[in-house]
Amino acid sequence: MDVSRMFILGFATALVFLWIFLANKYENTYATLVNSIDPEQYKYPELFCIGLAIMKFLKIDSKSKRSRKRIKEIAEVQGKRYAEYYFYVINAAKWTYGFTVLVLMTLLGAMGNEPMAVLLGIVLAFLVMWYVEELLNDKLEGRRDELLADMPQMLSKMTLLVNSGMVVREAWKKTADGGDRELYKEMRLTVAEVQNGITEIDAYRNFAERCSIKQIRRFTSTMIQNMQKGNAEISYFLKELSDEMWEEKKHLVKRKGEAANSKLMIPTTMIFIGILIMIMVPAFLNL
């Protein structure tokens, strides 16, 4: 037990000194980035210099293929302009929180002479890091679901306006002004781009890139093709796609309901196990 305790104490001491070293050495190096982080969005941003230093040692940057893919996903939520910035902020948060949890759990294990605390600290550190990444994934999934849910109504309105004789550009603008959710905001941004001199085709391509779901890519791709051919079949295309999207929305609602039921199984199972323990432990103690 003495050898075990000495090992834990040595490991804990090394981690604490490393934590302090990173915090002191890189505080000024990353001060500009750290000071720009919103403390309401990320807790204890003043410690993020630790995570940024770990990223430096592990050579985690925005240049790798995996990082570029992640930045593209972040751009959907935070915008293309700030995507790389949030890539570093999210990773800094992830590594800072994870490493700090590991240090604290190792210290507790050293003080209580409990080796399992170190193992628990490693597990908790990975869970914290996973949770930070999952927060972005939840926002991304929520945004994509919202875009998909609003598409049928948007397409129905555009179909009605085009069939009534309105040109596509005006129908797009009229539809964009009809809501405040993400899809309509992105459509208004497309209108603003056209007004600022970007070609209509390029503006639609930018719209597809920002939304980044296959249904919108298909929609904009066919819109561009019809524009290049003279809009001859645009109303037929809009009507056909609108009908398809209404059917897809029904399936989306059904999948969401099934997913909600599955998620409820986890807390229900945990409660059931807790009740079993409360019943069985006293019964075994009385034997």
Side-chain angles (χ1 to χ4, degrees):
M1 292 296 293
D2 290 339
V3 175
S4 175
R5 186 168 191 179
M6 288 296 293
F7 173 78
I8 298 173
L9 280 170
F11 185 54
T13 303
L15 288 179
V16 170
F17 274 115
L18 179 59
W19 191 94
I20 295 172
F21 169 77
L22 293 175
N24 288 331
K25 182 174 176 61
Y26 292 95
E27 181 180 6
N28 294 327
T29 304
Y30 299 111
T32 303
L33 176 59
V34 168
N35 292 335
S36 68
I37 300 172
D38 183 5
E40 295 295 324
Q41 190 174 6
Y42 293 96
K43 300 300 181 183
Y44 310 110
E46 62 274 9
L47 299 178
F48 283 16
C49 57
I50 297 171
L52 291 165
I54 294 173
M55 289 174 64
K56 179 181 179 181
F57 291 134
L58 296 177
K59 300 186 184 302
I60 299 172
D61 56 30
S62 59
K63 297 177 182 178
S64 68
K65 184 177 179 180
R66 182 177 179 183
S67 297
R68 289 197 300 271
K69 180 181 178 183
R70 192 58 170 167
I71 289 171
K72 188 175 180 181
E73 292 174 342
I74 295 171
E76 293 183 46
V77 179
Q78 302 293 351
K80 190 174 182 178
R81 182 179 180 183
Y82 299 104
E84 189 169 345
Y85 166 79
Y86 276 103
F87 169 79
Y88 283 101
V89 170
I90 291 168
N91 275 281
K94 180 176 73 172
W95 287 102
T96 300
Y97 296 153
F99 185 55
T100 302
V101 166
L102 176 60
V103 171
L104 291 174
M105 290 302 298
T106 305
L107 274 174
L108 290 174
M111 290 187 292
N113 191 25
E114 183 54 66
M116 286 300 296
V118 179
L119 180 60
L120 181 60
I122 294 172
V123 173
L124 286 176
F126 275 108
L127 286 175
V128 168
M129 294 170 70
W130 170 83
Y131 177 73
V132 173
E133 288 284 355
E134 201 61 23
L135 287 175
L136 176 68
N137 292 337
D138 288 344
K139 289 180 182 179
L140 183 62
E141 184 180 354
R143 173 184 160 84
R144 288 175 175 175
D145 286 347
E146 183 181 312
L147 291 171
L148 194 59
D150 288 341
M151 271 200 74
Q153 188 173 358
M154 179 271 284
L155 287 168
S156 295
K157 188 170 183 178
M158 277 201 69
T159 303
L160 182 64
L161 292 172
V162 171
N163 284 335
S164 67
M166 189 176 289
V167 297
V168 174
R169 180 185 295 187
E170 291 302 317
W172 181 284
K173 187 177 185 301
K174 184 80 173 176
T175 305
D177 293 332
D180 291 321
R181 284 160 66 88
E182 289 298 319
L183 180 61
Y184 300 100
K185 290 178 182 177
E186 294 295 347
M187 292 179 72
R188 286 197 290 272
L189 183 55
T190 301
V191 173
E193 286 182 341
V194 173
Q195 291 174 343
N196 289 331
I198 295 176
T199 65
E200 200 168 349
I201 290 176
D202 287 338
Y204 288 145
R205 284 176 180 151
N206 292 340
F207 171 75
E209 185 179 345
R210 289 193 305 271
C211 296
S212 194
I213 58 175
K214 65 180 181 180
Q215 291 83 356
I216 287 183
R217 288 199 199 97
R218 181 190 168 198
F219 164 60
T220 52
S221 175
T222 312
M223 283 272 289
I224 291 169
Q225 289 176 14
N226 278 275
M227 286 175 61
Q228 292 171 336
K229 293 177 182 178
N231 291 329
E233 301 177 355
I234 190 70
S235 59
Y236 171 78
F237 156 69
L238 288 172
K239 177 66 171 62
E240 185 182 58
L241 187 57
S242 176
D243 293 341
E244 289 181 17
M245 289 307 303
W246 278 114
E247 288 298 318
E248 189 158 345
K249 185 173 182 178
K250 293 177 185 177
H251 293 309
L252 176 64
V253 172
K254 185 178 179 181
R255 289 197 302 269
K256 283 289 181 183
E258 293 172 351
N261 289 333
S262 300
K263 289 181 179 179
L264 285 173
M265 287 296 294
I266 298 174
T268 303
T269 303
M270 292 177 68
I271 293 170
F272 177 69
I273 292 172
I275 293 172
L276 282 178
I277 293 172
M278 291 173 63
I279 295 172
M280 295 175 66
V281 169
F284 279 109
L285 290 175
N286 292 329
L287 291 176

